[in-house]
């Protein structure tokens, strides 16, 4: 289901049963919208209440790095955007189309008002992205 937020259209959404946010995917950025869940993932930070809807964008530095390396603007796709676990932190992660870049937004940072992204460059971005998803699933098990 698509939505429009602040005049930007988002086509797809990603959820997990234990993450209290829906992640909407736009062409050049993402949107987090709070939602109710029955049980929150044990690694999800709980130090503050939910955020208002929040747009996630690449930093200007990484937009320019991507454009310089790949000759086009960075693009997100719903197939390569998800929640994951990186260094024991719940993150929003993606693989930018046609690249080895994996931008990440750490939830504990987001809940403290820091919307900057980190960036990993990987020799196998798809495998590393899959490991982030796998780690999040594994740590959810009792």
């Amino acid at each position: 289901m698509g939505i429009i937020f602040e005049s930007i259209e988002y086509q797809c959404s990603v959820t997990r049963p234990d993450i209290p946010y829906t992640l909407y995917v736009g062409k050049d950025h993402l949107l987090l919208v709070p939602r109710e869940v029955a049980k929150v993932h044990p690694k999800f930070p709980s130090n503050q209440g939910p955020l208002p809807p929040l747009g996630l964008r690449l930093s200007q530095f990484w937009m320019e790095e991507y454009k310089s390396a790949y000759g086009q603007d960075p693009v997100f796709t719903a197939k390569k955007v998800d929640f994951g676990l990186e260094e024991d932190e719940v993150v929003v992660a993606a693989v930018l189309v046609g690249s080895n870049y994996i931008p990440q937004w750490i939830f504990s940072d987001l809940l403290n008002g820091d919307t900057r992204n980190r960036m990993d460059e990987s020799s196998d971005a798809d495998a590393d992205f899959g490991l982030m998803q796998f780690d999040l699933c594994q740590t959810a098990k009792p």
Side-chain angles (χ1 to χ4, degrees), residues 14-24 31-37 44-45 48-54 83 92 107 110-111:
V14 176
T15 61
R16 275 191 47 93
D18 55 359
I19 300 294
Y21 289 88
T22 299
L23 178 60
Y24 291 93
L31 176 69
L32 279 174
V33 177
R35 69 188 189 97
E36 294 290 323
V37 295
F44 194 85
Q48 295 183 3
L51 297 167
L54 178 64
F83 302 102
V92 171
F107 265 102
L110 293 171
L111 292 169

Side-chain angles (χ1 to χ4, degrees), residues 24-45:
Y24 291 93
V25 182
K27 180 181 176 186
D28 62 355
H29 66 283
L30 309 170
L31 176 69
L32 279 174
V33 177
R35 69 188 189 97
E36 294 290 323
V37 295
K39 183 178 179 188
V40 176
H41 191 283
K43 295 287 185 178
F44 194 85

Side-chain angles (χ1 to χ4, degrees), residues 20-83:
Y21 289 88
T22 299
L23 178 60
Y24 291 93
V25 182
K27 180 181 176 186
D28 62 355
H29 66 283
L30 309 170
L31 176 69
L32 279 174
V33 177
R35 69 188 189 97
E36 294 290 323
V37 295
K39 183 178 179 188
V40 176
H41 191 283
K43 295 287 185 178
F44 194 85
S46 60
N47 56 343
Q48 295 183 3
L51 297 167
L54 178 64
L56 303 177
R57 297 177 185 263
L58 295 177
S59 69
Q60 190 65 35
F61 174 82
W62 284 110
M63 288 177 63
E64 291 171 11
E65 285 291 307
Y66 181 95
K67 198 169 193 172
S68 174
Y70 298 99
Q72 61 186 16
D73 290 331
V75 176
F76 293 105
T77 176
K79 292 179 183 177
K80 298 292 172 106
V81 172
D82 206 346
F83 302 102

